[in-house]
Amino acid sequence: MNFCSTLFVFAFAATIFLQCLNPTSAATTCHPDDEVGLLAFKSGITRDPSGILNSWKKGTACCTWNGITCLNGDRVTIISLVGFPKKPERSLSGTLSPLLDKLQHLQVISLGGHGNITGSFPQFLLHLPKLRYVNIENNRFSGPLPSDISMLSQLEDLSLQGNKFTGLIPNSISNLSRLLQNLNLCGNRLSGTIPDIFESMRELKFLDLSGNRLSGKLPPSIASLGPKLLLLDLSKKNLSGTIPEYISSLNKLEKLNLFKNRFSGVVPKGLVNLTNINNLDLSHNLLNDPFPALNFNTIEFLDLSYNQFHLETIPEWVTSLPSIFLLKLAKCGIKMSIENWEPAAPLYYHYIDLSKNEISGSLERFLNQTEYLLEFRAAGNKIRFDMGMLTFSKTLKTLDISRNLVFGMVPAMVASLQRLNLSQNHLCGKLPTTKFPGSAFAGNDCLCGSPLSPCLL
């Protein structure tokens, strides 16, 4: 699964929007410059296994070619040739011809998801004065981003995620003041600090710089994004320092991902102002107590795992959430009986991870309440119950209760799971027939049968 968090369909949405402005505008001719540029693009494509470009033939009306739209007479305004990210063998391979700079009326270029389009940053983009949407995500572009990227002065949406761009984020991006929707540089190899470039981007709704090699502290100009920003993803980097207080001023935020960094200190109390947040991931940092009580009911995905919290119990504001799908509180210093936890809406839980705490008690009652649970992890606790008495929803696919105090026999229903870890407990008896390796059952008191040693007669 791609770790970049935004569903980057903005260029595609823009394509549909622009096409709807004038759906009958397809020209019967083709401007000579546009034909030259498009045929040069085709010649740079070395593999087209799905025949995406079969209709691109010299002397025919290029405005009728697959993926091409003309909104201004015979001038091409949109190229939309999205690949097949899950089936790269069906996508285009090759390079982008610089002669695409002949398409002087181009507003949208969407070439994301092919996986095998290579080369450096396409310099021809800088010479297209009307360009508004650029999506070349999930390809194999590499090298530095151009220092004069500010020449894309009309740009409203830029998605470069999932390539191999290197070097610094150019300061000149600060001049892309028309960015309305999306700045996505996720999943590249960019390095250095995050430049202080956001003062002019007050209309931006989605900012994703995750999965790069960036370090240092967050720049103060991110505070300028408060009026409109819906998503901020700065995860999987090496950012440090405290989480800035200005985060609490981003009160339109729906998704905040800061996981896998080196943020330290106390989480700002002002986080309580983010009353629209539905996805909050602060896991894998160095954050300390106390954690503010987020007394609002919008959170659906919450991960505070692997910090330096000592929560003692699952907080009441978490327990009372009415529609939470994912809860991860691994290694959060929880010392309570699972039998004392009575969540308001156990029916909605899909993913739970309470590993590496000091949780005790039996899971029987809780697992019987969760009809749609897909994954439950509570490894490394003090959970104690008779495994032979356990029942769980048919939806459950992953169960990890290794390194606990579970006893009894392994029930046959575990065979329906996709992933199972019952190792390092006190289980005994003959194992049911399953597909799991011996490691799933290792370190118990007296289990026997395949894939472990045969049972004695």
Side-chain angles (χ1 to χ4, degrees):
M1 179 180 293
N2 195 311
F3 56 74
C4 298
S5 54
T6 327
L7 296 177
F8 290 104
V9 294
F10 307 116
F12 176 75
T15 301
I16 299 302
F17 171 73
L18 289 173
Q19 287 173 333
C20 290
L21 290 178
N22 191 357
T24 61
S25 62
T28 57
T29 60
C30 185
H31 192 281
D33 285 348
D34 292 353
E35 183 183 56
V36 169
L38 293 173
L39 291 176
F41 168 82
K42 182 178 181 179
S43 68
I45 298 302
T46 55
R47 290 189 72 252
D48 179 13
S50 297
I52 294 173
L53 305 180
N54 282 355
S55 62
W56 292 33
K57 297 177 181 178
K58 185 176 181 179
T60 61
C62 62
C63 293
T64 66
W65 294 355
N66 180 44
I68 301 300
T69 301
C70 301
L71 297 177
N72 299 320
D74 63 352
R75 299 311 303 258
V76 173
T77 49
I78 299 171
I79 300 176
S80 181
L81 298 170
V82 180
F84 305 90
K86 295 183 178 180
K87 295 183 178 180
E89 69 278 4
R90 296 178 57 189
S91 298
L92 300 176
S93 300
T95 58
L96 299 187
S97 170
L99 290 180
L100 281 172
D101 67 358
K102 289 184 172 293
L103 281 68
Q104 287 292 294
H105 289 253
L106 195 65
Q107 298 179 39
V108 172
I109 183 166
S110 182
L111 299 173
H114 289 282
N116 286 308
I117 298 180
T118 63
S120 59
F121 183 90
Q123 292 289 324
F124 70 83
L125 296 175
L126 307 180
H127 306 296
L128 299 174
K130 299 184 179 183
L131 203 57
R132 294 164 55 188
Y133 297 86
V134 172
N135 179 346
I136 56 171
E137 65 184 40
N138 297 320
N139 281 292
R140 295 177 61 193
F141 294 105
S142 59
L145 299 180
S147 59
D148 54 352
I149 198 170
S150 58
M151 291 178 64
L152 296 167
S153 58
Q154 302 300 308
L155 208 62
E156 298 176 13
D157 189 301
L158 177 62
S159 183
L160 307 179
Q161 81 161 53
N163 283 286
K164 298 181 179 180
F165 291 117
T166 56
L168 305 178
I169 297 176
N171 285 315
S172 62
I173 284 186
S174 63
N175 294 323
L176 302 182
S177 59
R178 287 179 174 264
L179 282 176
L180 299 175
Q181 288 276 6
N182 170 41
L183 175 58
N184 175 17
L185 306 180
C186 162
N188 282 283
R189 301 175 182 179
L190 300 170
S191 58
T193 59
I194 300 176
D196 201 19
I197 56 175
F198 304 102
E199 177 70 29
S200 62
M201 301 182 188
R202 296 175 183 268
E203 300 296 312
L204 199 65
K205 294 180 180 177
F206 303 88
L207 174 60
D208 191 344
L209 305 180
S210 63
N212 282 287
R213 299 171 181 176
L214 301 168
S215 58
K217 299 182 178 181
L218 297 186
S221 62
I222 288 181
S224 305
L225 305 178
K228 298 288 180 68
L229 196 67
L230 301 177
L231 177 145
L232 178 61
D233 195 335
L234 303 174
S235 57
K236 291 190 175 183
K237 296 202 283 282
N238 197 29
L239 300 175
S240 58
T242 58
I243 297 176
E245 290 287 344
Y246 67 65
I247 287 289
S248 60
S249 69
L250 306 177
N251 54 21
K252 293 289 197 300
L253 267 187
E254 297 177 2
K255 190 170 187 177
L256 175 61
N257 284 349
L258 300 179
F259 67 92
K260 289 192 177 179
N261 281 290
R262 296 184 59 80
F263 290 115
S264 58
V266 176
V267 175
K269 293 181 181 179
L271 213 64
V272 299
N273 296 328
L274 304 185
T275 55
N276 293 303
I277 204 85
N278 62 54
N279 188 317
L280 177 62
D281 192 341
L282 305 180
S283 64
H284 296 272
N285 280 287
L286 303 169
L287 299 168
N288 299 317
D289 301 315
F291 193 92
L294 306 182
N295 292 313
F296 39 85
N297 60 14
T298 56
I299 295 179
E300 298 176 349
F301 302 85
L302 177 67
D303 192 347
L304 306 180
S305 303
Y306 300 104
N307 279 282
Q308 296 176 359
F309 298 131
H310 300 86
L311 299 181
E312 298 292 333
T313 64
I314 298 175
E316 177 57 33
W317 63 268
V318 174
T319 298
S320 63
L321 289 169
S323 58
I324 184 166
F325 295 95
L326 179 147
L327 176 64
K328 295 187 177 184
L329 298 175
K331 203 175 181 181
C332 280
I334 298 171
K335 302 177 181 180
M336 65 178 292
S337 171
I338 193 73
E339 297 175 54
N340 295 331
W341 185 41
E342 298 184 0
L347 184 68
Y348 292 103
Y349 282 103
H350 284 54
Y351 302 90
I352 296 177
D353 190 349
L354 302 174
S355 302
K356 296 185 178 180
N357 286 290
E358 294 183 43
I359 296 172
S360 59
S362 171
L363 290 177
E364 293 178 60
R365 179 182 61 83
F366 176 74
L367 288 183
N368 281 334
Q369 293 178 311
T370 54
E371 293 187 24
Y372 302 107
L373 192 63
L374 298 174
E375 181 175 302
F376 184 84
R377 298 179 184 274
N381 281 284
K382 299 179 180 180
I383 293 170
R384 178 179 171 83
F385 66 97
D386 185 345
M387 184 74 187
M389 304 297 291
L390 184 66
T391 59
F392 49 78
S393 168
K394 293 181 180 179
T395 62
L396 192 68
K397 302 301 180 186
T398 298
L399 178 64
D400 184 353
I401 49 175
S402 59
R403 291 176 287 116
N404 278 284
L405 304 173
V406 184
F407 60 92
M409 299 182 68
V410 177
M413 69 181 307
V414 300
S416 66
L417 298 170
Q418 294 179 359
R419 288 171 293 277
L420 175 68
N421 192 347
L422 301 177
S423 63
Q424 307 298 320
N425 278 287
H426 298 290
L427 298 167
C428 203
K430 184 179 180 179
L431 287 170
T433 301
T434 71
K435 59 188 175 184
F436 302 111
S439 58
F441 308 105
N444 279 281
D445 288 357
C446 49
L447 287 176
C448 62
S450 179
L452 302 180
S453 301
C455 297
L456 299 175
L457 296 177

